[in-house]
Amino acid sequence: MKQTLTFFTAGLLMLMAYTVKAQDSNDSDDETKVRKLRSYVSLSMGVSYALGDFAKADYSNNKSGFANRGVTYQIDGAVYVYKHFGVGFTLSHQDQSNFSYDDDLILSQGYTTDFKADNGTVTADKRYRSYNFLLGPQYTFTWRRLAFDLRASAGAIKSRTSPQLTIAVTGVSAQSGSIVQQSATGFAFAYGGSAAIRFDMGAGWGLSLKGNYVKSDGYNVTTTGRTLNVGRLVTKQPITEGQIVFGLTKAF
């Protein structure tokens, strides 16, 4: 992933430099004109980082998500309604990768201690995969061929899957069966903001670099099979994401 993003970034910078050089003869005219903002849509991909409690690997904190860095794909855009003001939207899918071996080990040791078990194991299946649906006001200012977008957003996060954890402890007569923290598929309110730089290549096409911040109190999580009321119990998983994406834009 790191090599792919490095290659993509280098290509983006080279293409921007080439376009600027090819259009140097028109720069003096462009600087004297006030650019009319056009509504646009973009297709982007990049990295989604887990932040805050979502990223923590702390057994004693029930809000810890043990989430890791992953990939995100996005459809983004804005419709301008008055001069520099518009309404922006983002539809995204993010995948926060699998639990690591260390994540499983931290949870296994925690349950073993809390249950005073001879042994405890945690097996993680599935992963954090979700959709974001965000809408909000956007302000854009321009300089030469660059546009700078600032946006506040609100909407919903839809869990496609979350990790399903199967917890087994031995030597505890009151908890003979497995405990299962079920994979969640619910909706939750989300809000955040973003900042982006767009480069106009001409003919309505452009390139963009964008940073997103998304936060949610999270969706409900259900646990089954617990007959002894001890140990970590997650009832709601808060979500906080920071994302950096590169994309191709088209104005209309």
Side-chain angles (χ1 to χ4, degrees), residues 8 41-45 74-76 208 246-250:
F8 189 87
V41 65
S42 69
L43 295 175
S44 306
M45 70 169 292
Q74 304 187 354
I75 299 175
D76 187 86
S208 67
F246 303 96
L248 179 66
T249 67
K250 176 60 178 175

Side-chain angles (χ1 to χ4, degrees), residues 20-21 24 29 34 48 98 122 130 135 156 171 184 195 201 210 231 245:
V20 170
K21 182 178 179 181
D24 274 346
D29 292 337
V34 176
S48 181
N98 290 314
V122 173
S130 62
L135 188 72
M201 298 190 297
K210 184 180 181 183
V245 296

Side-chain angles (χ1 to χ4, degrees), residues 78 84-89 135-140 149-154 194:
H84 295 270
F85 294 92
V87 178
F89 64 89
L135 188 72
Q138 176 170 307
Y139 179 80
T140 300
D149 304 320
L150 298 174
R151 184 190 303 172
S153 302
S194 64

Side-chain angles (χ1 to χ4, degrees), residues 131-154:
Y131 298 101
N132 288 343
F133 307 92
L134 299 169
L135 188 72
Q138 176 170 307
Y139 179 80
T140 300
F141 59 96
T142 61
W143 181 75
R144 295 190 178 182
R145 293 188 171 275
L146 297 177
F148 302 86
D149 304 320
L150 298 174
R151 184 190 303 172
S153 302

Side-chain angles (χ1 to χ4, degrees), residues 52-71:
D53 286 330
F54 191 40
K56 290 180 181 178
D58 181 0
Y59 172 86
S60 61
N61 179 1
N62 287 341
K63 294 182 179 180
S64 294
F66 292 79
N68 298 299
R69 181 179 61 191
V71 65

